[in-house]
Every structure is written in structure tokens, then in C-alpha cells.
DNA sequence: AATGAATGAGCATTCATTCAT
DNA sequence: TATGAATGAATGCTCATTCAT
């Protein structure tokens, strides 16, 4: 087996185990067993347990960035772009609950001090949103008074919370299409009946 | 010192230590030292470490529920009520970063299975939002097609993510007043310039 | 309640709890609860946990010594005296399983170093047997070549092992009368069919 | 070092430490240090502390069973067989005081409920005695009215109590040869001068 | 004398990491 | 590269004992 294969086998196993047990409750030996690899082998590919989490996170987010970017590039309407982002995020999280879980864990569970200096992919991911917002503003499609730095947090936070619930309640009340529409509408037009009033 | 005092001293210490180190990295002896109490004393008031986290969480959220409910009851306009909720949540989190942190931890860090059957206060908290939404809908102030069950998650998630960032970046770009206005506006009227279009 | 009463209430409770859980697994608070007394109160009557065990043991054995001595004094035939000893020991252990248990514990479970300097009652108890043996020898009823110091251990050991089994198997195969007869016979005439041969 | 070696090194160390301090006072780290092994290593070979005690006990008793069985098989006279049993037991306990101690501990110290379903070797050991008795009865060498189930307990109890004393008094009054003869005689012919009388 | 809240030393067990093979 | 036995630091929790009331 080639090195790259083993590396990704471990990443896959780690994603699964971290998602299932949480970072602190996951044991290296769990991951090793899941990856069908010896415990020690893991340390040939990662420096330590936390490094694995970070790698998993970065890799998964990296793929998301790529995938969403590809789709968005084909569009020109910022409304549609935002819609695509929301759609994609929710669909990916629904499809891959482990991924949703790992995002939750990495973002909140581990030592904040260690965290900061490497989360580049995640910044990139959030910045897809703010870039859309800014484009919309320059094209006079989005309100000028929206602060993209805040909007990107609000949108990501909303999506993330919804994904969190999916991971807790196996059967949620609303289906994914409805949820997408709802979230998109809330962010595009707000909850007011007559905004002009 | 009276028993009640010691209990709340421990809660306070636990909140601080959990916030600073995270649940898994917090040692009982850290909390004991912070509370100026012996390690064993903690077990006179709590069954185990996780029980402390849950107690801290429930108590803090309980106070939030009370405080926000009191303020909202004085209002009648659903728009204003939603604004008050957003305002309060953000102000509390800004004021008490430990609280924000503990919410983050409890919501994502610990065993989901154990969690569900006790997080009543948190449900209550979220339901404040959906109640406001429903009231707004019945008064034709909010759009009829908004699903309160999704909106409450979206709003809480947005607020929570913003608070998370405050806890990471000591100095955030935007001040609290601006952030409040932004979030309120995003949720009330959305990001579109001309929703009618 | 008079002091003596409380002392004996604690002794009774301790006997019960030690018997049920063993010395090391018994908690002071268990004994206190059983005696309907505060934990701290126990330390007004005993120096420490081990001191309680020793007190329980000495008191119980002391009573046994007294009881058996009284009965034996009425007899003159060493054969009958030995029989009475065996009878009494077995009957007491059958009647009071806690006592049997505490003997087992004290004799084997606790620190040998601490033990030695106080076990006077137990020596007295064993010496009842050797005294009987010696009397029997001087009256030419028992064999001259029997060493009383060894015989007393053999007899006590046999009785104690039988009592141990009673405490493990709730229903033993043999009833107490039969057991008494058996043990008495084994020690009086041995197992041989034709000792002369 | 091979695995088997390490296992037996730990068994040896545990036997020594349990004997010296008693089960409850023995610390895992004591055993680890005695075995020149890390604390954690012990848990690669045993599930927990109690499991070690049980393993030690079973292994030691197992060896005794084997050794005594081998010797007894060469004999045909039940009198001699009983003598061999007594001889062997006492010699082994004298030689290996730790072993005597561990028998004492395991038999009385630990949870009786757990105990029963695994002490197979010990049952085997006691049944060597009853088998001898039965053989003697069928050959009309031993009295027909002796109950083997009681006799085996009486004999084991006697031997065990004598071994207990050896472990307490470093210098006992009687030497081993004399003790053997005494015990054998007591059980074979009893203490009476004229059994016929 | 009696209480029981408070103490804090003590320890079994876990598990990330190492390293000889 | 790969293994997995070995390591030993780390810690939640217990419980005998104390002492202010």
C-alpha cells in the first residue's frame, strides 16, 4: 500500500472516530483499529493526537472550499451564489455527519491557544461568504449597510447550529430542501412581512 | 460559610475553569483551588465532573431565560422583542465570556446521549425565540412562511458563532452596538436591497 | 442514652457491617448509619477504624470464652468437655454468621504487625482447648503423645474452616448436629477403622 | 524479555507483595516496582487488581494440586496417601510463606460473591482429600461413618490454621516433622487413648 | 457528648507516546 | 516503513479523620 493511501486511511478512520466519540474520548488505538494499522504507525504520519484532528479538519474543510468554489464560479448572481453556499453546506453536513461533528469539535472543543495559528482553510471557507456579500454590495444587489464580516459569521453559525441538531436528533422535523429554502429566505429577505414599514 | 454559599462558590469557580481550559482539560483540583475548597468538598455538592458542567450550564441558562423573559414581557411588538433577545444574548456573552464558553462546551463537547434528557433550560431558552416568531406571525408582522423551529436555530446559531469569535479574538473588529444592529437587521429584513425584486 | 449503650450499639453495628462487607470495604459512614449515630461520634468511642475491628473481635471472643468456660466447668470428663467446645463453637458460628465472619477477617485480613500485641482473648479461647487436652492426658483419657499446642490449632482450624463454608454456601449439605458429631468423632477417634492394626 | 516471562515475573511479585501487605494494603505500584515493570504493564496481563489475586491464587493452587497428585498416584494405601497430603501441604506452606499468606487472603478477604464462580482449582485441591477418604472407606481402611465432605474441610482447616501461625510467629515451637506426625496421627487415630472404651 | 461538613492524602486505572525489533 | 509491547505521567474520586459548632 502506498503511503498516500495509508495517510488517507488514517484520516478517514480519525474522522469517524472523532465524530463518534469526540476528540477527548477518542483513543489512538480506536483510530488505529479502525484504520487497520498499528498504533505506532499513526505517529509516522502525524505528530500527535491533536495534529490529527487539525489535519482532519483542514483536509475536510479544504475539500468543501474546493467544491463550493467550483460551483459558485459558474454563477454570477450573488443571490444564487449565497443560495448555493447554503445548499452545499447543509447537504454536505447531512450527507457526512462525521464531518459536521468534526467541525463542531475542532471549532469548540480543543485548546484555543494551539488552534489559531493554522486554521487557514476555515478562514477561507468563511471568506467565501463575505466575498459573495461584497460582490452583491458592489452590484447593488445586497444592502450597503451589511457588514460582511458579521454576516459571514451569522450565516455560518446558523448553518452550523442546524447541522448540530441533525447530529443529535436522528430524525429532524424538517427535510433538507425545506430547511435550505427557509435559511436562504431568512438571510435574503428576513423575517419581516413588510420590510418597508 | 453557609452551604448555599459554598455551592455557588464552586459553580462560579467551575464556570471560570471550564471556560479557561475546556471541560476535558479542567482538573477537579483546579476548580477546587479556584473555589478555595478541598477537592473532596466538590463531591459533597456534585456527583461527578460532568454533573458540575451540567449544573453550571443549567444554572446560567436558567438565569438568562429569566432575565430575557422579564424584559420581553414588557414589550408587545414582536420586532422589538426579537431585538431585545438578540441584544441581551450578545451583551451577556460579551460581559461574561466564561458563560459563552460554557455554552459552547456543553453544547458540543460532552456525550450527546446523556445530554438530551436534562437540557430543559436550554430548550426553554430557544423557545423564547420561536414564541416571538409565532406571535409575530399571528400578528401578521412576520412572514407566514417562516418556520419558527428553523428560525430559532438559525438565530441562536448566528449569535453563538459571533460570541465564539469574541472568545477567540480578544479584540474583535466590531463593537457590540454595531453587531447587535447588524444581526437584528439581517434577521428582520435580510440582506437584499430590494426584496420585492 | 447512656454512654455504655452507645458504645455497644456501635459495636453491634460494626460487627454487622464488617461481616457483610469485610473490613476494608466497610465504610465508617456505613457503621455510623447502621448505629444511627454521626460519623464523628464513632471517634469518641474508638481511636480509629482498626481499633473498632479489634474491639469487636475481642469483645465477641471474650463472650465466647465466658460462655464456653461456664459450660465446661460443670463437666469433668475431658471427652465431654471437648465435645462441648466443638458443639458450642459451631452453634455460635451458625447462629451468628457475622461473628464467624469477623473472626475470619480479624485473623487473616488485617495488618499482622499491628495485630499481635492485643489478641489476648483469642489466645485464651484457644487455650481452653489445650487445657482440656492436658487434663485428658493427665487422666490418661487422651494419648500422651498428642501435643496440645498443635491439637488446639488443628481443632480450631477445622471448626473455623467449616464455619467459613457456612458463610459462603447459604445452604450447606450437612446439618449442624451431624457436623458436630462428625468433627467430634474425627478428633476423638480419628478416621481409621482399626487403629490397632 | 518474552511475554511469558513478564507474566510470571508479575505473578511472582504480586504473590510476594500480597503476602507481605495483604491484598488491600498492596499498591499496584508496589507490585510493579517489585516486578521491575511499569505500572501500566501490569494491565497488559491482568484486568485489575483483584484479577491478579485470583490469578496468583489459581496458579499456585494449581501447582500444588499437580504436585500432590503426582505423589499420591504412586501410592495405594489410603493411610499413606493422607499422610502424603498433610506432609506436602505443610512443607509447601513452610517453604513458601507467601503462598500460605495468599491462600489465607483469597479465601477470606475478597468478595465472596465474585469468588465462587472461579475457584475451581481450590475445589480440586480439597477434593484430593475427599477422594482419599472415599478410597479408604471402600477398602474398609477408614471408618464408614466419616463424611468425606466434612473431613476434607476439617483437615484443610487444621492445616491452614497451622500455616497461619507459622506466618505470624517467625519461630514456632514445633518443627515441621513433628507437626506433620502430630496432625497425621490426630486425624488417623484421634486423641483418645482407648477408642474402644 | 454529639454532629456532620470539610478536608486532603491516597490510589487504581487509562492512554498518548516511544522504541526495540 | 511498520509493529505493538512497554511506559509512566496524569487524575477523578473515595473515605478515614478532624473540628467548629
Amino acid at each position: 500500500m502506498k503511503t498516500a493511501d495509508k495517510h488517507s486511511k488514517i484520516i478517514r478512520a480519525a474522522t469517524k472516530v472523532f465524530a463518534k466519540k469526540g476528540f477527548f474520548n477518542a483513543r489512538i488505538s480506536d483510530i488505529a483499529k479502525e484504520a487497520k494499522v498499528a498504533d505506532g504507525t499513526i505517529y509516522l504520519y502525524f505528530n500527535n493526537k491533536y495534529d490529527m484532528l487539525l489535519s482532519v479538519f483542514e483536509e475536510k474543510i479544504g475539500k468543501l472550499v474546493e467544491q463550493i468554489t467550483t460551483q459558485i464560479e459558474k454563477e454570477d448572481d450573488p443571490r444564487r451564489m449565497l443560495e448555493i453556499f447554503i445548499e452545499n453546506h447543509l447537504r454536505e453536513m447531512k450527507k457526512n455527519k462525521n464531518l459536521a461533528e468534526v467541525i463542531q469539535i475542532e471549532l469548540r472543543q480543543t485548546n484555543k491557544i494551539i488552534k489559531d495559528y493554522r486554521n487557514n482553510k476555515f478562514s477561507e471557507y468563511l471568506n467565501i461568504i463575505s466575498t459573495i456579500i461584497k460582490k452583491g454590495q458592489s452590484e447593488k444587489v445586497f444592502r450597503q449597510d451589511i457588514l460582511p464580516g458579521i454576516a459571514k459569521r451569522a450565516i455560518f453559525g446558523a448553518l452550523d447550529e442546524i447541522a448540530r441538531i441533525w447530529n443529535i436528533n436522528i430524525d429532524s422535523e424538517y427535510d433538507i430542501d425545506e430547511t435550505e429554502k427557509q435559511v436562504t429566505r431568512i438571510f435574503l429577505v428576513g423575517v419581516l412581512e413588510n420590510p418597508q414599514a
Side-chain angles (χ1 to χ4, degrees), chain A residues 134-196:
Chain A
K134 284 174 197 160
K135 178 176 158 69
Q137 288 179 319
S138 73
E139 295 174 7
K140 314 280 185 202
V141 178
F142 291 161
R143 307 166 58 88
Q144 301 302 317
D145 57 0
I146 295 293
L147 291 169
I150 287 177
K152 74 177 178 188
R153 305 266 174 222
I155 291 171
F156 171 76
L159 296 173
D160 194 46
E161 173 68 11
I162 285 165
R164 184 178 77 82
I165 299 305
W166 282 344
N167 267 348
I168 293 179
N169 300 337
I170 291 147
D171 35 64
S172 70
E173 312 161 64
Y174 313 112
D175 73 15
I176 186 163
D177 285 321
E178 192 158 30
T179 307
E180 275 170 38
K181 264 184 234 153
Q182 279 284 318
V183 176
T184 305
R185 177 163 307 142
I186 287 172
F187 282 107
L188 285 181
V189 301
V191 298
L192 283 189
E193 183 79 52
N194 298 303
Q196 275 68 23

Side-chain angles (χ1 to χ4, degrees), chain A residues 57-192:
Chain A
F57 182 78
E58 291 280 305
E59 188 182 304
K60 299 291 179 185
I61 293 281
K63 281 187 183 162
L64 259 189
V65 168
E66 227 177 301
Q67 172 186 324
I68 294 189
T69 305
T70 306
Q71 288 194 44
I72 283 178
E73 278 171 348
K74 300 178 198 149
E75 287 294 331
D76 195 52
D77 181 355
R79 279 168 297 213
R80 183 71 194 115
M81 290 166 93
L82 192 57
E83 197 172 29
I84 288 172
F85 184 94
I86 289 170
E87 240 177 74
N88 262 279
H89 184 93
L90 288 179
R91 281 185 193 284
E92 281 304 313
M93 297 303 146
K94 189 80 171 188
K95 197 166 68 186
N96 189 350
K97 299 201 168 185
N98 292 346
L99 169 54
E101 198 53 49
V102 166
I103 291 175
Q104 304 270 344
I105 296 168
E106 165 53 18
L107 246 31
R108 278 158 275 232
Q109 192 162 111
T110 49
N111 195 329
K112 281 153 282 163
I113 300 154
I114 307 177
K115 213 154 48 185
D116 277 14
Y117 65 85
R118 251 184 76 186
N119 272 346
N120 304 317
K121 291 291 176 196
F122 182 65
S123 295
E124 266 185 54
Y125 188 60
L126 284 200
N127 286 337
I128 294 175
I129 309 179
S130 48
T131 302
I132 295 173
I133 303 278
K134 284 174 197 160
K135 178 176 158 69
Q137 288 179 319
S138 73
E139 295 174 7
K140 314 280 185 202
V141 178
F142 291 161
R143 307 166 58 88
Q144 301 302 317
D145 57 0
I146 295 293
L147 291 169
I150 287 177
K152 74 177 178 188
R153 305 266 174 222
I155 291 171
F156 171 76
L159 296 173
D160 194 46
E161 173 68 11
I162 285 165
R164 184 178 77 82
I165 299 305
W166 282 344
N167 267 348
I168 293 179
N169 300 337
I170 291 147
D171 35 64
S172 70
E173 312 161 64
Y174 313 112
D175 73 15
I176 186 163
D177 285 321
E178 192 158 30
T179 307
E180 275 170 38
K181 264 184 234 153
Q182 279 284 318
V183 176
T184 305
R185 177 163 307 142
I186 287 172
F187 282 107
L188 285 181
V189 301
V191 298
L192 283 189

Side-chain angles (χ1 to χ4, degrees), chain A residues 19-52:
Chain A
K20 189 170 171 190
K21 305 200 161 190
F23 177 71
F24 289 102
N25 291 319
R27 279 176 284 136
I28 291 292
S29 61
D30 292 335
I31 297 171
K33 187 179 291 175
E34 179 71 38
K36 286 174 187 157
V37 148
D39 290 23
T41 304
I42 287 178
Y43 289 86
L44 299 172
Y45 296 90
F46 302 93
N47 296 322
N48 53 44
K49 194 183 172 188
Y50 181 71
D51 186 49
M52 289 190 70

